[in-house]
Amino acid sequence: AKKFNVSFAPIKISKELKKQLPTWCHIGVPMNAYHKTKDKCLQNTHKSQTIKNMIKISKRLTNIRNNSQRHLPRKDCTCRPCRKDRQAGCINPHKCAANAREILSKIAPKYDTRTKPKKDELSLTHRRREKNTQAHQSRNGEILFDPTTTIRTSLKDCFRIF
């Protein structure tokens, strides 16, 4: 990539695409956020490869209201996700969930699924997008350029050549 000056440089990225980004060596996470020994279980046992996986793992930490499936902050928690993780070979599912949450908390705002990108007022209105679709399908009429900077299609569209 360096040889051809290709880099991952999206201006704005949709929430769904943020979830598809890889967990390990994430572009928005400082390298000191990873710990070889602490992350080993997340990588091997939980098979957490994307941010979406990490969100799912850490979500149990917020599940404290439901009494029947309540997560308890201890090694032998009996909630369904923790039982499932122990069956897969995880020794301490709560510790892994807390580690996942810690990694997620270090993601830069641009790539964080919890932050909304600033509105740039460049996107077309819903009505204008519909008119563009109709004009494109009928191959008749004017199509207005859509200057939106948010990438919603796929991660491959986020790569830029400079």
Side-chain angles (χ1 to χ4, degrees), residues 35-48:
H35 303 283
K36 194 173 185 177
T37 52
K38 284 172 61 177
D39 300 340
K40 198 173 199 175
C41 188
L42 283 170
Q43 291 175 348
N44 300 331
T45 307
H46 298 273
K47 309 253 187 276
S48 178

Side-chain angles (χ1 to χ4, degrees), residues 98-122:
N99 190 27
R101 182 174 59 185
E102 181 183 342
I103 291 170
L104 289 172
S105 72
K106 293 181 179 177
I107 295 176
K110 180 176 181 175
Y111 301 104
D112 193 344
T113 58
R114 299 168 296 177
T115 59
K116 285 189 175 186
K118 294 178 183 174
K119 289 198 173 210
D120 55 12
E121 303 298 328
L122 293 176

Side-chain angles (χ1 to χ4, degrees), residues 18-81:
K18 288 177 184 180
K19 289 179 181 181
Q20 292 176 23
L21 290 171
T23 299
W24 312 108
C25 298
H26 188 288
I27 194 167
V29 177
M31 287 308 292
N32 65 354
Y34 301 114
H35 303 283
K36 194 173 185 177
T37 52
K38 284 172 61 177
D39 300 340
K40 198 173 199 175
C41 188
L42 283 170
Q43 291 175 348
N44 300 331
T45 307
H46 298 273
K47 309 253 187 276
S48 178
Q49 296 178 343
T50 64
I51 294 300
K52 186 175 183 176
N53 300 138
M54 295 291 271
I55 291 169
K56 184 178 177 185
I57 292 166
S58 66
K59 202 168 218 165
R60 73 187 67 169
L61 298 176
T62 59
N63 187 12
I64 54 174
R65 291 183 192 97
N66 187 350
N67 290 333
S68 62
Q69 290 300 316
R70 188 174 152 186
H71 174 76
L72 300 172
R74 59 183 194 217
K75 187 177 181 176
D76 60 344
C77 174
T78 58
C79 74
R80 184 176 293 139

